[in-house]
Amino acid sequence: MSFEATYADFSADPARLSNADVTLHRARPAGSHLVVDAGGSVTLEFEVADPEGVPQVTLTVTALVSKSGRSPGYAPVDVLFQGEALAEDLTVPGGGDLPQDNVFAVPGRLLRRGTNRLEIRSSAEARTMLRLYRITLDPVFERGRSERARTAEAARDSVFAYRTERRPAHAAASAPWQAAPRLLFHVDRGERSLPAQLGWRGTDGAEAALSFQSNMSDFHGCYRTADGTAYEYRGRLTGRWPFTAETENLSTAALHRFRTEEGWGGGWHASEELRLLVEDGAVPVERVTWRDQRGNSGVAVLHGDSAEAEVTGVEASSELRPAHEVAGNLLEDTRAKWLAPDDTAHLDLTLARPTAVASYSLTTANDHPDRDPRDWTLYGSHDGRTWTPLDTRTGETFDARFQTREFTLRAGVRDGAGAGAGVAAETAGYRHYRLDITRNGGAGEVQLARVRLAAPAGGQAFTGYYQRHDEGPIGYRGTPAPASPGSSAHHLAVDLETAAQGLAETARTLTALASRLRLV
């Protein structure tokens, strides 16, 4: 018996197909599904090398009928295999928001060696549309094999970006949604399963919890800001990629890679690498929780030894001394602020010792969002006179008063490549740093409540638990994983090594040329 995993997944465009060719008639892709109009059909042809020993095939058709006003809709279908009807005028459930699995038994006698043909027809009498999400076929004793193969293939694209919106909790159903920062995330421990739920907590105490559609097209959840304000939270998928060194560069937040261990049987045992990335436009995360579509779940609480750089002094290009809104307030853990009576300004921070800074954070002040910085450049200097650009930002916004946002220094800025998406990079060990604010939100003043510089972390670890479907929870922990081939750090190391070899070769050439010149 030879029967490959066979499926057609219409939740992607183009559709994901395995051992299948699909022909459409009066049907069209609609993002997360196919729309089949009245009288339309979808024909799937697949190969069977040897049908011997297959007494029955399990056919699963995942579909939904669109509504008609308050009616659940009407779009009966015929299901034919090799032209023989398995079902006629079948009424697929409709009216809901989630597709339904419709399971059929295909007699083994209908299987042919070579090409086999399955056809799904929407009745010419249909009054609403048939939405077709996926089709899978498996030998009866291997039910679910094609679905597992489909989800594993879909899970290859494991970096997700969403356009998000929020509105206050308990608002009226007609209340408008407000645009919120992009959500970008990647959670992968090598099990090739799509996430079903995701939650996180930021270092400022803000929290989010959300659940995804099975095809990852949308999510819905809740969000609570650092000050305790609760919101409904939803998002629409805008991009999805496999994890590579290039897609790692899509985020300005830190990607965490951990060498992990699982605790069971009285000891700790090595397990797959865990990668975590959550960027929601706010501060870094300190806890991530997830559950995948197979029912596995986990929690990782991050901890490490990153240290705030010791700033011994700060001077501003201008400040409002009569109101005590001076630069020195930026170093205090209070809500006092610094205000410059101009729409541009700069701050010079002096450190106790030369320090390589990996990130910095800005905290908004108590009022007037139009005084918040929008465009700025962070510079470093050894002597306080000659400045090197380290990080440039344009069009940045803040969502709330006393909101803290952290910015990771990005590669390419120091080379004059601008502030495009790049890998996180540490600066040289400068003693002086300048924040040059070149544009604000439109007011005649610039203000901030706090500025912090952060030295590179010595490495973050995590502690948590993991629970496989239908099993009990086990211990789960991790330590920073070394850079692997394909990672940004690895590529940087290779580039440096190549450059060093090139310089060595140049030196040898120049030495040989000098010797020849002496002989002349």
Side-chain angles (χ1 to χ4, degrees):
M1 183 267 290
S2 179
F3 197 135
E4 296 180 35
T6 303
Y7 62 80
D9 180 1
F10 303 115
S11 67
D13 188 11
R16 296 187 183 93
L17 305 175
S18 176
N19 187 34
D21 290 315
V22 172
T23 304
L24 305 180
H25 172 65
R26 301 193 66 183
R28 61 193 182 279
S32 63
H33 55 273
L34 284 182
V35 169
V36 185
D37 295 323
S41 64
V42 176
T43 302
L44 184 148
E45 294 185 336
F46 64 98
E47 301 297 315
V48 176
D50 182 6
E52 190 68 28
V54 183
Q56 196 175 79
V57 171
T58 301
L59 164 64
T60 303
V61 178
T62 304
L64 181 69
V65 171
S66 65
K67 292 188 289 187
S68 176
R70 294 187 177 182
S71 165
Y74 180 72
V77 299
D78 296 340
V79 180
L80 300 93
F81 196 91
Q82 318 290 38
E84 183 171 322
L86 298 178
E88 295 179 293
D89 286 332
L90 171 71
T91 303
V92 174
D97 294 321
L98 297 176
Q100 306 284 334
D101 286 339
N102 303 273
V103 182
F104 305 89
V106 181
R109 63 177 175 79
L110 295 180
L111 285 180
R112 299 174 183 167
R113 189 185 305 273
T115 302
N116 290 255
R117 180 185 178 93
L118 167 72
E119 188 174 5
I120 298 171
R121 298 176 181 169
S122 181
S123 170
E125 305 301 318
R127 295 190 293 272
T128 58
M129 295 176 295
L130 175 69
R131 295 173 177 169
L132 187 58
Y133 289 80
R134 57 187 172 271
I135 299 169
T136 62
L137 295 113
D138 290 303
V140 66
F141 298 125
E142 298 184 67
R143 182 179 174 184
R145 181 185 62 169
S146 293
E147 176 63 14
R148 289 190 296 273
R150 183 192 71 83
T151 56
E153 177 63 26
R156 292 179 187 273
D157 295 336
S158 56
V159 181
F160 299 88
Y162 289 84
R163 179 180 66 251
T164 74
E165 298 176 309
R166 300 177 197 160
R167 68 179 179 185
H170 298 283
S174 59
W177 291 83
Q178 301 296 323
R182 176 190 73 163
L183 172 64
L184 182 77
F185 79 90
H186 170 68
V187 178
D188 186 2
R189 52 168 269 133
E191 291 184 326
R192 299 178 67 187
S193 180
L194 292 170
Q197 297 173 340
L198 180 69
W200 65 91
R201 175 185 171 89
T203 54
D204 61 353
E207 296 182 287
L210 47 93
S211 184
F212 300 95
Q213 291 277 7
S214 60
N215 65 354
M216 305 301 294
S217 61
D218 305 86
F219 74 76
H220 200 100
C222 54
Y223 193 97
R224 188 178 69 177
T225 60
D227 64 5
T229 305
Y231 294 88
E232 280 188 89
Y233 189 35
R234 71 182 186 184
R236 169 74 66 168
L237 185 70
T238 58
R240 182 174 172 180
W241 309 270
F243 179 82
T244 64
E246 287 70 30
T247 52
E248 182 179 343
N249 296 341
L250 291 169
S251 173
T252 59
L255 169 76
H256 300 282
R257 305 179 76 135
F258 299 105
R259 180 190 294 113
T260 70
E261 295 178 305
E262 296 178 357
W264 47 268
W268 289 94
H269 308 271
S271 56
E272 294 291 330
E273 179 181 276
L274 171 67
R275 294 194 298 258
L276 290 179
L277 168 65
V278 177
E279 179 196 88
D280 67 348
V283 300
V285 296
E286 64 181 13
R287 182 182 69 219
V288 180
T289 65
W290 69 93
R291 180 177 180 274
D292 68 27
Q293 293 185 8
R294 295 180 184 172
N296 308 312
S297 58
V299 173
V301 176
L302 279 61
H303 51 86
D305 57 357
S306 57
E308 186 177 307
E310 184 181 354
V311 179
T312 57
V314 57
E315 294 183 1
S317 56
S318 60
E319 55 191 11
L320 196 62
R321 293 194 178 190
H324 302 290
E325 294 174 343
V326 296
N329 293 334
L330 295 168
L331 306 184
E332 304 296 329
D333 289 322
T334 68
R335 292 199 165 188
K337 69 184 180 184
W338 158 70
L339 185 143
D342 199 352
D343 60 357
T344 63
H346 69 257
L347 297 165
D348 288 346
L349 299 101
T350 301
L351 276 55
R353 63 193 64 83
T355 303
V357 167
S359 65
Y360 59 100
S361 63
L362 308 180
T363 302
T364 56
N366 62 316
D367 58 7
H368 299 290
D370 54 355
R371 295 175 178 173
D372 294 344
R374 289 287 182 90
D375 301 350
W376 65 81
T377 297
L378 181 71
Y379 295 87
S381 174
H382 296 294
D383 56 11
R385 294 186 297 273
T386 302
W387 298 93
T388 300
L390 304 174
D391 189 57
T392 296
R393 305 282 168 156
T394 58
E396 298 290 346
T397 59
F398 295 81
D399 298 327
R401 302 302 83 206
F402 298 111
Q403 179 191 5
T404 299
R405 289 190 60 197
E406 183 173 13
F407 302 90
T408 301
L409 271 63
R410 298 181 287 193
V413 178
R414 286 169 288 166
D415 315 353
V423 297
E426 299 173 11
T427 71
Y430 296 110
R431 187 164 182 214
H432 305 276
Y433 288 86
R434 170 173 288 180
L435 181 69
D436 187 18
I437 301 167
T438 54
R439 185 172 73 96
N440 67 1
E445 304 86 13
V446 173
Q447 64 182 20
L448 284 169
R450 195 171 302 116
V451 176
R452 295 289 185 267
L453 303 175
Q460 282 198 307
F462 81 85
T463 301
Y465 71 82
Y466 192 71
Q467 186 168 11
R468 291 179 175 83
H469 178 59
D470 284 341
E471 296 184 11
I474 58 175
Y476 192 40
R477 68 185 187 185
T479 54
S484 59
S487 72
S488 302
H490 174 79
H491 286 306
L492 179 59
V494 170
D495 289 345
L496 290 173
E497 183 177 344
T498 301
Q501 292 173 348
L503 289 172
E505 182 63 31
T506 300
R508 287 192 293 270
T509 301
L510 290 174
T511 300
L513 177 60
S515 298
R516 287 196 294 271
L517 288 173
R518 287 194 204 96
L519 292 174
V520 173

